[in-house]
Amino acid sequence: MISKAGYRELIRDLKYLKISAVFFLILGFVLVLGLNLSADEGMYPLSEIPRLDLQSKGLKIDPALIYDPARRSLLYAVVQMGATGSFISEDGLIITNHHVAFGAVQAVSTPDKDYLKNGFLARTRAEEIPAPGRTARITESFRDVSAEVLGVIKKGMSSAERAKAVEKQIKKIVAEAEKANPGKRAEVAEMFPGKSYWLFLYTDLKDIRLVYVPPLAVGNFGGEEDNWMWPRHTGDFTLLRAYVAPDGSPAEYSEKNVPFKPRTYLKVNPEGVKTGDFVFLLGYPGRTYRHLPASYLAFEQNVRMPAVADWYEWQIKLMEKMGKESREVALKHDVRIKGLANTMKNYRGKLAGLKKLNFLELKREEEKKLQRFILSDPRRQEIYGRVLPEMEKIYARMAEEFPRSFILDNLRRSVLTFQNALMVVDAVHERQKPDLERRSAYMDRNFQQAKKRITLTMKSSFYLPTDMAIFKELLKKAAALPDDQKIEPLSQFPGLEGKMEEAVERLFKSTRMSEAKYVLELMDKKPEEIKQLDDPMLKLAWSLYPEYQRMEEINRARKGLLDELQAKLVEVRQAFLGKQFIPDANGTLRLTYGRVEGYSPKDAVFYLPFTSLKGIEEKSIGQPPFDTPAGILDLIRQKKYGQLVNPELKNVSVCFLYSTDTTGGNSGSPVLNARGELVGVNFDRVWEATINDYTWSQDFSRSIGVDIRYVLWIMKEFAGAKHLLKEMGIE
């Protein structure tokens, strides 16, 4: 056991990182000792709601009102739109985060009509602007299809054959579900890899429009400096509206479309919440990794996350430099920078916490005990004895191959012209196969959407000098690879040994892969037609295509083997720890609950759970990222609070903390009170909770939401959007 003096010493060591030593020590001891966490931990699938006994925790409504297909459940008010949003009126008004809608706002902004910087308000429905690329997905139903999925696995199959069979079966189940439910979208989600699969049925609303966007100085107040931090004063919200065809069916944008009438929508409670109140969230959290082995954590900590964080930081600096002299260029980069910076800072926080705690070693210690448990019984040893050693080998091999795969992955992710060229080569090969054998993006059900993304990306985010600079940097990295990892087509690139600048310039000036219309035309052609084209970027993509095919086959085989091993690992860990697990988050609808409460990040420091308008005034310095609009500062100084005062503060609340279990994808999730009323919009976690993806603590895991009182205050006092408040039932 560590002494109190030891705790204090470790706290001092971590002080400069703003990370709570006690937090990480508690998490580490949980892993080592296998202790049960608080019941508040968990991003619970809908099937788990009946067993949670939420009313004993503080819920004041029938839990069936959260999800019951036969009733107007709260579930139907929550939508997936990249992250999460929720309906707040009978006419399809949606509230989500400013950063969730950021890309759509950027896409319709110009230097003359800079909605990103200055904000936007539609005073009539006719003024609402289509939000490019946005959809709103409603979960309609779900069912367990594990037996159907796993039933195709036959004894003697190789790992690759297993993965391919499961993949094809999932596509078959999806196709049958969509045929039986015209107009709906179906997806099969992997709940426990190799063990449990659910079929979800969705309604996808395709006509989404901007209604109100606060200025950047409100919606992104504090910028990256405040990101993941507390106290926070960010008005991270935006309003949109969903439209459908006159007959109520989902439809692409049309002037004839009408506002969507949701089955249910959330009541907005202008009284907000107070310290200690029960709250819960519904949302679509992306990915967590709590059931994966120490070997995976080692790969993440020592290999992947540091490389990605460094690479993203390099791109951010490049794009910021490119956009310094031109708002038009800066607009092209804004969305990319925001996404890169968010991930980079998240990874830096995770790495700092994992390393300072020695979290990986604590995880390994738990697995040593687990392995002894396995070996103590002949039957367990026979079934599970090789699970951890085999997983160790796989992740070690991935680490060895990472420098090479990193370049290939980022070539197709970061260089937009090459991305387009590879998609053309991919498409013309995949589209020759039967539909169920194609990769997902090239199946008939997804192909048009993939094409739309190309058009939107090239229009809103492409800037030639940036594309060239990123390509050159990746070429340099490719040249530095050891001989046994060389990527032949890149090693032979003209000018690699000398005049790279001229060679790259010739390549980009000669290619047409930046022309979205031309790219889309090529995607419908045959392979032999593409092979004859004299486009240098297309030729490069063609020459690298076998490399990507090999990567895909290797990854498929690994997934097949890892799924089998991971299923066994979950089984034996549950037996070892004597408890059942809930699946890691995977982008499907989940519930999490907790209370409004602050926390102590370090010795003698306690963070209160609310911030106020006073904090905005204190932080404002007249320049980004703390450049509050003068009109808001005037209102604060006049103490024009209206009826939206938080009695605890004698001021208007801006943001608040609560002990729910969240991760990426929960952005925009409605924060609901005990009566299921909207009291806030989730948008972030505190710095200490960046490690949430791996584990969770009642004492230190806190999520951050914008208080509904601040949302209403901005709309009423600053934006003059009283017509929207009336629509929301706020007079």
Side-chain angles (χ1 to χ4, degrees), residues 299-311:
F299 173 70
E300 287 288 289
Q301 176 182 305
N302 300 329
V303 180
R304 194 186 74 84
M305 283 200 292
V308 171
D310 289 346
W311 174 236

Side-chain angles (χ1 to χ4, degrees), residues 289-570:
Y289 310 96
R290 296 177 187 177
H291 304 316
L292 293 178
S295 50
Y296 166 80
L297 192 60
F299 173 70
E300 287 288 289
Q301 176 182 305
N302 300 329
V303 180
R304 194 186 74 84
M305 283 200 292
V308 171
D310 289 346
W311 174 236
Y312 283 10
E313 184 174 14
W314 184 89
Q315 290 184 80
I316 290 164
K317 289 177 179 177
L318 170 71
M319 292 179 195
E320 287 177 341
K321 182 180 178 181
M322 293 283 190
K324 224 165 200 176
E325 304 301 325
S326 166
R327 180 58 184 154
E328 184 176 5
V329 173
L331 275 169
K332 294 280 188 183
H333 293 144
D334 278 347
V335 171
R336 295 178 75 180
I337 288 173
K338 191 167 183 66
L340 293 169
N342 189 57
T343 299
M344 181 195 73
K345 193 167 184 180
N346 175 278
Y347 282 10
R348 299 284 193 222
K350 286 176 181 174
L351 288 168
L354 290 169
K355 289 178 180 179
K356 275 296 175 182
L357 172 64
N358 209 13
F359 193 81
L360 175 56
E361 289 307 312
L362 294 170
K363 185 83 170 171
R364 282 175 171 155
E365 282 300 314
E366 185 208 60
E367 290 186 358
K368 285 179 184 177
K369 294 178 181 179
L370 174 61
Q371 189 69 358
R372 286 198 291 270
F373 172 75
I374 292 170
L375 299 179
S376 67
D377 178 89
R379 177 65 176 157
R380 280 199 298 265
Q381 182 175 353
E382 180 184 354
I383 299 172
Y384 305 112
R386 296 299 303 161
V387 169
L388 289 170
E390 288 298 322
M391 296 181 98
E392 184 86 38
K393 286 181 185 177
I394 293 171
Y395 287 113
R397 183 62 180 158
M398 287 171 62
E400 290 173 11
E401 297 170 355
F402 182 79
R404 190 176 198 275
S405 62
F406 175 86
I407 291 167
L408 288 168
D409 278 339
N410 283 286
L411 191 60
R412 63 179 168 186
R413 288 177 182 170
S414 303
V415 183
L416 300 184
T417 44
F418 181 81
Q419 182 183 97
N420 287 347
L422 189 62
M423 283 194 72
V424 169
V425 178
D426 255 346
V428 299
H429 283 93
E430 290 294 310
R431 298 287 289 173
Q432 304 306 306
K433 302 175 184 176
D435 195 49
L436 289 181
E437 294 180 14
R438 298 172 189 163
R439 293 214 303 282
S440 179
Y442 306 106
M443 295 176 70
D444 290 343
R445 64 194 290 271
N446 300 320
F447 194 45
Q448 292 308 312
Q449 193 62 35
K451 286 182 170 183
K452 285 180 184 178
R453 280 195 294 272
I454 292 174
T455 301
L456 179 59
T457 299
M458 298 310 290
K459 180 181 178 182
S460 63
S461 299
F462 177 72
Y463 183 56
L464 180 60
T466 300
D467 227 38
M468 291 173 62
I470 294 173
F471 182 77
K472 281 187 282 190
E473 187 65 17
L474 288 170
L475 274 183
K476 292 175 186 175
K477 289 181 181 296
L481 287 171
D483 289 342
D484 63 344
Q485 290 200 38
K486 291 291 185 186
I487 303 167
E488 200 60 34
L490 295 182
S491 298
Q492 297 174 357
F493 186 81
L496 194 60
E497 300 299 325
K499 300 178 181 179
M500 182 188 287
E501 294 286 337
E502 293 90 335
V504 171
E505 193 166 329
R506 280 196 304 274
L507 170 67
F508 278 81
K509 283 189 174 180
S510 303
T511 185
R512 295 184 65 188
M513 291 299 100
S514 62
E515 302 172 27
K517 185 178 179 182
Y518 179 64
V519 170
L520 298 185
E521 289 173 1
L522 296 184
M523 291 175 80
D524 290 317
K525 294 187 178 295
K526 299 284 190 289
E528 55 271 21
E529 295 177 277
I530 298 301
K531 194 173 182 180
Q532 300 305 314
L533 294 176
D534 190 26
D535 185 294
M537 190 67 82
L538 203 53
K539 286 185 172 181
L540 179 62
W542 191 277
S543 67
L544 283 168
Y545 182 68
E547 296 284 351
Y548 287 104
Q549 290 295 99
R550 276 193 290 273
M551 277 179 62
E552 183 182 343
E553 288 305 312
I554 290 169
N555 290 338
R556 178 181 283 127
R558 278 184 182 149
K559 177 168 173 50
L561 182 53
L562 282 170
D563 282 358
E564 187 176 5
L565 294 169
Q566 184 63 35
K568 290 181 178 179
L569 180 60
V570 167

Side-chain angles (χ1 to χ4, degrees), residues 1 26 88 360 480 590 638 640 653 667 692 701:
M1 293 292 290
I26 289 171
I88 53 172
L360 175 56
R590 303 293 180 96
Q638 295 166 22
K640 196 168 182 181
S653 306
S667 290
N692 254 28
S701 290

Side-chain angles (χ1 to χ4, degrees), residues 626-676:
F626 302 105
D627 53 341
T628 304
I632 290 179
L633 290 176
D634 288 343
L635 290 167
I636 294 172
R637 289 167 187 146
Q638 295 166 22
K639 297 186 176 180
K640 196 168 182 181
Y641 304 152
Q643 303 300 311
L644 298 168
V645 172
N646 180 338
E648 293 181 50
L649 308 177
K650 297 183 173 56
N651 204 318
V652 177
S653 306
V654 176
C655 297
F656 66 119
L657 297 173
Y658 34 92
S659 55
T660 58
D661 190 0
T662 63
T663 189
N666 276 121
S667 290
S669 287
V671 185
L672 305 168
N673 67 12
R675 294 181 296 277

Side-chain angles (χ1 to χ4, degrees), residues 43-57:
M43 303 173 197
Y44 293 97
L46 301 178
S47 61
E48 297 294 303
I49 293 175
R51 76 169 185 83
L52 293 179
D53 193 13
L54 291 172
Q55 288 176 319
S56 72
K57 305 292 183 181

